[in-house]
Amino acid sequence: MECLGWLFLSPVRWLFEWVLEKKRLIVLYKLGGEGLGDTLAITTILNVLHREEGVRGVVYSKFPTLFENNPQVVLNLDYRSMPHLQRSILKSIFKYLRGKRVICVGSEEWTLGTPPWRRSSGRHDYRRFYLGGLLPDIADDLDCLKKALPFIAISEAERRQYDEHFRHLPDKFGVVKASVGASRKHLALAKNWSIEGMQAVVLSRDALPFSWVQLGDGAEPALDGTINLLGKTSLRETFYILSRAQVVLTVEGFISHAAAALGRPLVIVFSGYHNPDSFYYGPAKIVTGAPMPACAPCYQNECTTPGKPCTSSISVQQVVDACRKALDKQIN
């Protein structure tokens, strides 16, 4: 049945691609998973295509807040706000129209030119840049994505609103995201360094000679010596605070993607969960253990190696030095 549907819609797909091409538009959608960072990858793809071809996008996702005020997005469709039938129909339409102008970002593995239900087998090769796994449709055709960053837009109206709302914040501060958090159903806890290590960095006056603001969900451990905003900011407010930070210290995750998108000096403490070479964060300072153990990268949610050697070998001084270098670059 799916085969007949796909074949039947081929003329419609060709016509739709022709219309989109004439209007210099592209459709990008991501509906699988709950990852904010993965969904933000839509802006990486769109940013590159906008620069290379001048296209703008129709975006369909679970997190439309990520794309607010983005001048490259002409239509921002919210999956969750639609009635179940409507969103299912729209998802099916986009699935059958997938091609060079309708692109699925992650979750639906597919080889361009084959029926959309014929999924590729095997695990993604995470040794490649991470968009290789998120963008199977066109990743091989856009090598420039390997050195591309996501994009977040903050309007002047938002800035005025949040300037007033967060007027209690000091003029200069750093942002710390101490762990992956506790709000998601499936947590990659193996990404974490140590709360004690993050605490020591915050209290070290060598790292950052002014205040730290702590962001994250309300269930994360609060660090002493920070302005505690755990669980107190919306997504757009988080972007605003990140945009003002002199330096951002975090484990790998959504905050690292967002800080890179906003062009902030960034320090990421990487565990052995990922291969750091799979990611591109511009001039960010990446801190890893040395040497990395044989079990890394593991891509496991929780570590099964006694002592977690991928992060236990990371010293507080390494992270302090990375923060200092990131801050010096910002000042200079």
Side-chain angles (χ1 to χ4, degrees):
M1 197 67 182
E2 281 194 319
C3 181
L4 290 175
W6 185 74
L7 292 173
F8 176 75
L9 282 174
S10 290
V12 178
R13 183 170 59 254
W14 299 331
L15 177 62
F16 192 55
E17 286 186 358
W18 180 81
V19 171
L20 290 176
E21 186 172 1
K22 290 296 181 183
K23 293 183 175 293
R24 306 182 83 175
L25 293 174
I26 195 161
V27 175
L28 299 116
Y29 71 98
K30 184 184 188 319
L31 304 174
E34 298 295 325
L36 285 167
D38 289 350
T39 304
L40 188 61
I42 286 177
T43 68
T44 309
I45 300 156
L46 182 57
N47 205 18
V48 169
L49 294 176
H50 181 75
R51 184 178 68 240
E52 298 286 319
E53 304 176 16
V55 302
R56 293 191 294 166
V58 173
V59 175
Y60 185 32
S61 75
K62 293 179 178 179
F63 305 109
T65 307
L66 295 172
F67 313 104
E68 288 180 9
N69 301 313
N70 188 331
Q72 299 171 6
V73 176
V74 298
L75 186 59
N76 189 9
L77 300 172
D78 183 359
Y79 174 84
R80 286 195 171 101
S81 70
M82 294 180 179
H84 286 276
L85 180 60
Q86 180 182 344
R87 69 192 190 190
S88 296
I89 290 173
L90 187 58
K91 178 182 177 180
S92 296
I93 289 173
F94 284 154
K95 178 179 179 180
Y96 285 117
L97 295 180
R98 278 177 67 171
K100 293 182 178 180
R101 312 297 291 193
V102 180
I103 299 169
C104 173
V105 181
S107 301
E108 293 179 11
E109 302 173 40
W110 179 58
T111 302
L112 190 61
T114 65
W117 62 91
R118 187 177 298 162
R119 296 168 180 251
S120 59
S121 60
R123 191 177 184 182
H124 287 313
D125 183 359
Y126 285 99
R127 291 171 297 178
R128 298 182 57 202
F129 64 105
Y130 78 97
L131 284 174
L134 291 177
L135 186 61
D137 291 2
I138 61 172
D140 292 333
D141 299 327
L142 286 175
D143 287 339
C144 49
L145 280 172
K146 296 178 182 179
K147 297 293 183 181
L149 291 170
F151 177 68
I152 292 171
I154 302 175
S155 71
E156 288 303 314
E158 280 183 297
R159 287 201 177 275
R160 289 192 297 270
Q161 175 187 349
Y162 298 144
D163 281 344
E164 174 63 22
H165 185 69
F166 293 104
R167 62 185 181 278
H168 63 285
L169 294 181
D171 290 338
K172 293 184 178 181
F173 58 83
V175 165
V176 58
K177 177 72 163 66
S179 72
V180 295
S183 60
R184 287 181 59 185
K185 188 181 298 184
H186 301 291
L187 291 174
L189 297 177
K191 290 183 179 183
N192 288 336
W193 178 35
S194 75
I195 294 299
E196 295 77 15
M198 289 290 191
Q199 179 68 81
V201 173
V202 165
L203 295 179
S204 171
R205 306 312 297 172
D206 293 332
L208 193 63
F210 36 83
S211 302
W212 287 95
V213 172
Q214 186 177 2
L215 295 179
D217 64 59
E220 291 186 58
L223 301 180
D224 294 335
T226 66
I227 299 171
N228 185 347
L229 292 182
L230 291 174
K232 300 175 183 177
T233 60
S234 69
L235 198 55
R236 300 301 299 182
E237 289 170 341
T238 295
F239 294 158
Y240 165 80
I241 292 169
L242 287 174
S243 75
R244 285 186 50 190
Q246 302 298 298
V247 64
V248 177
L249 169 62
T250 181
V251 295
E252 194 285 321
F254 171 66
I255 291 294
S256 57
H257 300 308
L262 293 162
R264 305 321 300 151
L266 176 61
V267 176
I268 310 171
V269 183
F270 260 88
S271 72
Y273 178 87
H274 285 120
N275 177 355
D277 295 335
S278 302
F279 293 81
Y280 178 68
Y281 283 114
K285 306 295 181 185
I286 306 296
V287 182
T288 62
M292 291 297 282
C295 56
C298 66
Y299 306 109
Q300 296 184 145
N301 286 338
E302 296 191 56
C303 178
T304 57
T305 302
K308 199 166 181 261
C310 63
T311 55
S312 60
S313 60
I314 298 174
S315 71
V316 170
Q317 193 59 51
Q318 278 180 271
V319 181
V320 167
D321 291 344
C323 290
R324 185 71 251 176
K325 289 176 182 177
L327 177 61
D328 288 345
K329 186 170 183 180
Q330 168 76 359
I331 292 173
N332 296 330

